[in-house]
C-alpha cells in the first residue's frame, strides 16, 4: 500500500513513482520523525491529460490543491479515500489557477461536501461574477461546471493547510492569477513549472507581457530555493534549479519569437481539445473550427490569415510534428491521455449558463 510522502522540510524530497504518491523517506526524514519535528505529509496524484495533477496536504486541515478535469472527479474521490482522507473531510481546495484541467472537480466536491475553495482574487472574483472570461471556458469552448470561490489568496498570504503554515506566491504568466504554495523548500507549482515544457502563454489575450511575467515568476520561484516541486503536469521535480533554467530558456525564446509563442499556445489548446473531446473526423474539425472564438481571434489578430487558413496550418503543424496523427478518418493525439467519458457533465458547462454564486460571494 502506497503511503503519503513524508516531508520533513528542506532536507527531504525523493521523486515519486510513476503514479506519483510513493516516496522513500530520506535519512533526514527518518531523523526528523524520530525527533518529533513537524513535517509535511503530501500525496501526489500524477494523472494524464485532460486532468491536471492533484496534491493532498495531510493533517488536521486536509487540503487538496487542484481537482483535475470535470470527468475525472470520481477517480479523484477514490484516490483521496485510498490516501486516508475521504472527500467529505477536506478542509479546503486550493486552485493554482482557473484552467479547466485544474478546477474541473470543484463542482462535484463543493456541491456534495460543501468544500471551501480558494484562488487568487483576479480569477476567483471572475468565477463568482460568472464572467465569460472565467476559466477561459467560453473562449476555448472547454466544459467546466459551476463552483464559487470562498477564499482569496494573494501574494504573501499565509495559509493553514495540513498541520502547517504555507505561503502564497503570485506567479502570473501562464495565467494572470496563477499562484504557487510553498513552505520549507517544498513547492506546489501548478503550471508555473513543469519538466520538459512550459505552461502555454496566452499570447493573444495577454500579449508578450505574458512571457515577461512568466520570466519574473520564474525568478521569484528560483529565489525560494525549492528542493522539490509538485507540478500541475508530469512527475515530481527534484532538480528544481535546472528545471527553472530550462523553463527560462524556453520562455526567453518565446519572447524573442512571438510567433513561436503563438504556435506553442495554439497547439496546446487544440491538443487539449483532442484529448478532452476525443478523436475528430473532418466533419468534427469543421464544427470545432466554426464554434471556437480562439481560432478566429488568433487567425485575425496574430497570424493575419483567415480562420480556415490558420486552422489548416495548425492541423498540418500538429501532424508534421507528430503531436497528432490520422487513424482511419479520425485525427487523434499521440501523447499519453485518457479520453473523458462522453456525457460526464449533468449540469451546465458554460460559465454563462451557471446559476449565480451565493450573494455573499459576488
Ligand atoms: Zn494545466
Ligand atoms: Zn493551465
Amino acid at each position: 500500500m502506497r503511503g503519503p510522502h513524508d516531508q520533513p522540510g528542506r532536507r527531504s524530497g525523493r521523486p515519486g513513482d510513476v503514479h506519483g504518491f510513493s516516496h522513500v523517506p530520506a535519512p533526514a526524514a527518518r531523523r526528523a520523525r524520530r525527533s518529533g519535528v513537524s513535517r509535511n505529509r503530501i500525496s501526489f496524484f500524477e494523472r494524464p491529460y485532460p486532468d491536471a495533477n492533484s496534491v493532498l496536504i495531510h493533517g488536521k486541515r486536509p487540503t487538496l490543491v487542484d481537482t483535475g478535469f470535470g470527468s475525472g472527479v470520481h477517480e479523484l474521490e477514490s484516490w483521496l479515500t485510498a490516501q486516508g482522507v475521504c472527500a467529505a473531510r477536506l478542509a479546503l481546495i486550493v486552485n493554482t489557477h482557473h484552467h479547466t484541467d485544474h478546477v474541473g472537480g470543484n463542482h462535484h466536491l463543493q456541491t456534495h461536501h460543501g468544500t471551501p475553495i480558494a484562488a487568487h482574487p483576479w480569477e476567483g472574483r471572475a468565477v463568482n461574477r460568472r464572467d465569460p472570461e472565467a476559466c477561459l471556458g467560453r473562449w476555448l469552448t472547454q466544459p467546466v461546471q459551476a463552483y464559487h470561490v470562498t477564499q482569496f489568496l494573494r501574494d504573501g498570504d499565509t495559509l493553514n493547510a495540513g498541520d502547517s503554515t504555507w505561503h502564497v506566491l503570485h506567479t502570473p504568466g501562464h495565467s494572470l492569477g496563477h499562484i504557487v504554495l510553498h513552505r520549507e523548500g517544498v513547492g506546489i507549482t501548478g503550471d508555473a513549472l513543469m519538466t520538459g515544457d512550459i505552461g502555454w502563454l496566452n499570447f493573444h489575450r495577454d500579449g508578450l507581457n505574458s512571457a515577461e511575467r512568466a520570466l519574473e515568476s520564474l525568478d521569484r520561484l528560483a529565489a525560494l530555493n525549492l528542493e522539490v516541486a509538485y507540478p500541475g503536469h508530469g512527475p515530481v521535480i527534484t532538480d528544481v534549479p535546472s528545471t527553472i533554467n530550462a523553463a527560462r530558456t524556453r520562455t526567453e525564446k518565446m519572447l524573442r519569437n512571438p510567433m513561436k509563442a503563438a504556435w506553442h499556445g495554439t497547439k496546446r489548446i487544440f491538443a487539449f481539445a483532442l484529448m478532452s473531446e476525443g478523436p475528430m473526423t473532418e466533419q468534427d474539425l469543421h464544427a470545432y473550427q466554426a464554434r471556437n472564438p480562439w481560432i478566429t481571434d488568433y487567425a485575425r489578430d496574430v497570424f493575419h490569415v483567415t480562420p480556415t487558413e490558420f486552422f489548416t496550418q495548425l492541423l498540418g503543424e500538429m501532424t508534421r510534428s507528430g503531436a497528432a496523427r490520422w487513424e482511419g478518418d479520425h485525427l487523434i493525439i499521440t501523447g499519453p491521455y485518457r479520453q473523458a467519458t462522453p456525457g460526464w457533465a449533468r449540469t451546465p458547462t458554460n460559465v454563462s449558463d451557471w446559476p449565480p454564486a451565493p450573494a455573499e460571494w459576488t
Side-chain angles (χ1 to χ4, degrees):
M1 167 91 188
R2 294 176 223 271
H5 182 184
D6 291 326
Q7 281 283 2
R10 301 185 63 86
R11 294 304 314 152
S12 64
R14 293 285 183 87
D17 66 12
V18 287
H19 303 292
F21 47 88
S22 174
H23 298 258
V24 181
R30 287 193 289 272
R31 278 198 303 278
R33 198 181 302 150
R34 275 198 300 273
S35 65
V37 173
S38 73
R39 60 189 188 272
N40 311 318
R41 289 190 302 130
I42 285 176
S43 293
F44 180 57
F45 193 16
E46 185 187 338
R47 288 202 282 181
Y49 283 103
D51 291 296
N53 300 334
S54 295
V55 180
L56 174 65
I57 305 171
H58 292 259
K60 288 194 292 291
R61 282 178 48 78
T63 299
L64 180 67
V65 184
D66 288 341
T67 58
F69 193 61
S71 57
V73 71
H74 297 295
E75 183 194 45
L76 177 66
E77 280 197 314
S78 306
W79 176 80
L80 285 168
T81 306
Q83 304 312 301
V85 178
C86 72
R89 274 196 54 225
L90 282 176
L92 182 68
I93 290 167
V94 176
N95 291 141
T96 56
H97 63 300
H98 66 164
H99 289 161
T100 59
D101 51 329
H102 297 254
V103 303
N106 288 4
H107 170 83
H108 179 88
L109 296 171
Q110 190 169 56
T111 307
H112 287 85
H113 309 299
T115 319
I117 297 175
H120 191 274
W122 293 353
E123 294 178 355
R125 282 202 289 255
V127 163
N128 290 359
R129 285 196 307 270
R130 294 355 194 180
D131 190 301
E133 288 287 310
C135 309
L136 287 187
R138 188 173 77 168
W139 193 58
L140 301 176
T141 64
Q142 292 176 3
V144 57
Q145 294 172 288
Y147 68 95
H148 59 276
V149 173
T150 58
Q151 184 178 349
F152 297 127
L153 297 176
R154 296 172 175 82
D155 191 62
D157 280 355
T158 55
L159 179 72
N160 180 8
D163 293 321
S164 322
T165 300
W166 288 73
H167 302 273
V168 178
L169 186 76
H170 183 205
T171 48
H174 171 64
S175 87
L176 288 180
H178 195 290
I179 54 170
V180 160
L181 296 185
H182 67 97
R183 82 179 294 271
E184 295 185 338
V186 178
I188 301 172
T189 53
D191 288 357
L193 189 66
M194 62 187 81
T195 301
D197 199 1
I198 55 171
W200 65 280
L201 300 169
N202 196 351
F203 182 57
H204 179 272
R205 287 288 170 99
D206 305 338
L208 268 184
N209 271 337
S210 55
E212 295 279 17
R213 289 190 190 102
L215 284 171
E216 262 189 29
S217 294
L218 288 170
D219 287 344
R220 301 184 72 218
L221 271 177
L224 300 178
N225 295 316
L226 297 178
E227 294 190 353
V228 60
Y230 297 94
H233 302 278
V236 178
I237 300 167
T238 48
D239 188 353
V240 180
S242 69
T243 309
I244 290 177
N245 281 340
R248 198 181 270 133
T249 304
R250 279 172 188 252
T251 309
E252 279 164 354
K253 271 192 196 145
M254 304 279 178
L255 194 56
R256 280 198 300 273
N257 186 348
M259 286 301 117
K260 197 177 172 67
W263 279 116
H264 179 265
T266 53
K267 278 156 67 175
R268 291 297 178 283
I269 296 169
F270 182 59
F272 189 81
L274 279 177
M275 291 186 282
S276 56
E277 297 183 27
M280 294 188 196
T281 62
E282 287 275 4
Q283 205 179 0
D284 297 332
L285 291 167
H286 283 302
Y288 180 81
Q289 183 201 315
R291 72 169 187 271
N292 265 283
W294 70 268
I295 293 176
T296 317
D297 288 354
Y298 265 97
R300 185 190 57 222
D301 300 335
V302 179
F303 297 108
H304 309 297
V305 293
T306 67
T308 303
E309 284 169 337
F310 161 56
F311 196 52
T312 307
Q313 221 181 328
L314 179 67
L315 297 180
E317 277 287 316
M318 298 283 292
T319 47
R320 207 172 19 255
S321 67
R325 67 183 154 81
W326 286 96
E327 203 170 272
D329 55 359
H330 284 81
L331 185 68
I332 63 166
I333 204 79
T334 49
Y337 77 102
R338 197 175 30 197
Q339 197 195 320
T341 323
W344 57 267
R346 303 237 164 84
T347 65
T349 54
N350 298 318
V351 175
S352 357
D353 300 330
W354 288 0
E360 72 228 75
W361 302 111
T362 56

